[in-house]
Each structure stands twice: as structure tokens, then as C-alpha cells.
């Protein structure tokens, strides 16, 4: 159980547990009045977006039945429950069924393992491996679902940044801003967060940030970003 300022997250029946990646993305991602959380897991990102954007209606989708149950239970225990709908459906299927241009923003902490050893547990493989949602499928589906001024925000390992950027351009989207993330100043970058736009961006912004200083304390950037969530 993880207790935040305005909600509590249980992750006992989901394959992927609450982690720093989801908190970072939920605290940083752009929003709007209509938001899609693709691969909601515990529902943490959907809840963070609901807290940050008080007028937003949010759709939280996942392909795993247990994840949907967990997310729904977590969401129903909050004051945000009337603004968040949980659905068991893949992003690709949602894009096939939906009318074009429904969302102001899509937020996704995507599965990113490629050609790597799989777990014997099917549920964990769905959450972690890109078999269920490739870079291209993510970009293609997002481009269809987003409004003309919409954005997609993701978090992923740095060694996949070029793949995500290339697939975005291939599918008619361009990077708008990127944050390269280090755990500490002397470490190599581990993750990146990126915002992709359905509109052409001539001068994308890029910055590098650290989660902790050399003494293991949270940096000012990290503290300010997550301050309204962490106790």
C-alpha cells in the first residue's frame, strides 16, 4: 500500500507495482479536459492526472483483468471516482473503435522490454514486454485518438529514445519536449520523459534532471515536481 496526499494505491494483484516511473510521469505529463491513461495498471497515473486537472474526464484502460479490478478499486476509494472511467481494452482496439480526435492528452508508461527473457507469468509479461504494445502501435493509435492540438506523454529507458522519436515522426507526430533523467549527478541517464505533439514542432525542448543530489537527497526539481503527491 502506498499513501499519497489525496489517495492511496494498493498494488497487491497487479503485475507491475507502484514505482518512480509512474509517479514521475503522472506529475509531469500534460493534460486537458479529456485524458486517456493507456495501460493504467494500479490507476496511479489516472489519479494523479485527476488531481492535477480538476476539470478533466479520464479514461483508464488496460488489457489485464486484474489490473482493471485493482485500478477500479483504487479509484473508487477516492473523491475522483466520478471523473475516471476504467475499461478493459487495448489501446489499439480503442483506436479502432473510437472516433478520431477524442482526447486532449494521452499518458502512457508503456511496456518496453524487447527480445528479452520473459517471466513465466503471463500477467507480468503483458505489463513489461513490448509484444502487447510496440512503439509504432503506440504512436499510430495515439495519433488517431488525439485531437489536432493533442499530446502524448511517455516515460521509457533512454536507450529507446531514438526508437520512440523515429516512430513518432513516422506516424505524424513530433517531439515537443524531453526530460532526460538521472538518478544522481554522476550516474548515466536511466529514463527519459517525452511529450509528442500531433502538430509539427520546429524547436523541441530538452533538459536533463536528477532525482537525487550527491548525498542521496531529493533534488529541488524532483521535490517540486512531486510535492503535491508525496507525504
Amino acid at each position: 500500500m502506498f499513501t499519497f496526499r489525496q489517495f492511496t494505491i494498493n498494488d497487491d494483484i497487479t503485475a507491475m507495482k507502484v514505482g518512480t516511473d509512474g509517479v514521475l510521469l503522472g506529475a509531469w505529463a500534460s493534460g486537458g479536459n479529456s485524458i486517456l491513461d493507456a495501460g493504467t495498471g494500479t490507476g496511479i497515473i489516472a489519479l494523479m492526472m485527476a488531481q492535477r486537472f480538476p476539470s478533466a474526464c479520464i479514461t483508464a484502460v488496460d488489457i489485464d483483468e486484474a489490473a482493471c479490478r485493482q485500478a477500479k478499486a483504487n479509484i473508487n476509494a477516492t473523491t475522483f471516482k466520478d471523473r475516471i472511467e476504467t475499461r478493459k481494452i487495448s489501446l489499439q482496439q480503442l483506436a479502432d473503435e473510437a472516433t478520431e480526435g477524442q482526447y486532449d492528452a494521452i499518458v502512457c508508461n508503456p511496456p518496453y522490454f524487447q527480445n528479452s527473457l520473459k517471466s513465466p507469468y503471463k500477467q507480468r509479461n503483458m505489463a513489461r514486454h513490448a509484444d502487447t504494445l510496440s512503439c509504432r502501435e503506440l504512436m499510430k493509435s495515439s495519433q488517431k485518438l488525439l485531437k489536432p492540438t493533442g499530446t502524448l506523454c511517455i516515460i521509457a529507458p533512454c536507450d529507446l529514445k531514438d526508437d520512440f522519436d523515429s516512430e513518432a515522426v513516422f506516424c505524424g507526430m513530433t517531439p515537443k519536449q524531453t526530460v532526460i533523467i538521472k538518478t544522481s549527478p554522476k550516474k548515466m541517464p536511466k529514463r527519459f520523459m517525452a511529450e509528442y505533439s500531433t502538430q509539427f514542432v520546429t524547436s523541441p525542448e530538452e533538459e536533463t534532471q536528477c532525482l537525487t543530489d550527491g548525498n542521496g537527497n531529493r533534488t529541488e526539481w524532483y521535490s517540486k515536481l512531486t510535492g503535491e503527491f508525496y507525504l
Side-chain angles (χ1 to χ4, degrees), residues 25-26 28-39 45-46 49-50 52-53 56-61 91 94 101-108 138 141-154 173 176-177 194-198:
L25 185 61
W28 178 82
S30 297
N33 290 325
S34 55
I35 300 172
L36 173 64
D37 175 18
I45 293 175
M49 297 300 281
R52 290 177 58 213
F53 300 95
C57 291
I58 299 162
T59 303
V61 303
L91 180 65
L94 185 66
Q102 287 197 347
Y103 298 99
D104 295 308
I106 297 175
V107 186
C108 183
L138 172 59
S141 297
S142 296
Q143 198 278 336
K144 180 181 178 183
L145 287 165
L146 286 168
K147 294 179 181 178
T149 56
T151 59
L152 163 69
C153 290
I154 67 162
M173 301 179 71
K176 184 176 181 181
Q177 60 175 326
E195 179 181 14
Y196 299 97
S197 175
T198 52

Side-chain angles (χ1 to χ4, degrees), residues 31-165:
N33 290 325
S34 55
I35 300 172
L36 173 64
D37 175 18
T40 194
T42 61
I44 183 172
I45 293 175
L47 284 165
M48 293 178 76
M49 297 300 281
Q51 180 179 326
R52 290 177 58 213
F53 300 95
S55 64
C57 291
I58 299 162
T59 303
V61 303
D62 205 294
I63 59 173
D64 180 58
E65 179 67 37
C68 289
R69 291 201 312 271
Q70 185 103 79
K72 192 166 187 176
N74 286 331
I75 290 164
N76 283 345
T78 73
T79 59
F80 308 114
K81 61 183 180 182
D82 293 335
R83 293 193 286 119
I84 305 175
E85 176 191 15
T86 307
R87 294 186 61 189
K88 182 181 179 298
I89 189 172
S90 69
L91 180 65
Q92 301 95 311
Q93 186 180 353
L94 185 66
D96 287 340
E97 296 179 359
T99 305
E100 292 187 13
Q102 287 197 347
Y103 298 99
D104 295 308
I106 297 175
V107 186
C108 183
N109 181 5
Y112 51 75
F113 285 107
Q114 303 181 51
N115 304 316
S116 57
L117 184 65
K118 292 187 176 181
S119 162
Y121 302 103
K122 181 180 178 182
Q123 185 187 23
R124 191 163 178 81
N125 287 332
M126 284 194 298
R128 293 167 63 91
H129 289 265
D131 301 16
T132 56
L133 183 65
S134 67
C135 292
R136 180 164 298 184
E137 289 170 337
L138 172 59
M139 296 299 172
K140 182 180 177 181
S141 297
S142 296
Q143 198 278 336
K144 180 181 178 183
L145 287 165
L146 286 168
K147 294 179 181 178
T149 56
T151 59
L152 163 69
C153 290
I154 67 162
I155 186 168
C158 281
D159 58 1
L160 296 179
K161 181 179 181 298
D162 288 346
D163 292 343
F164 278 99
D165 288 353

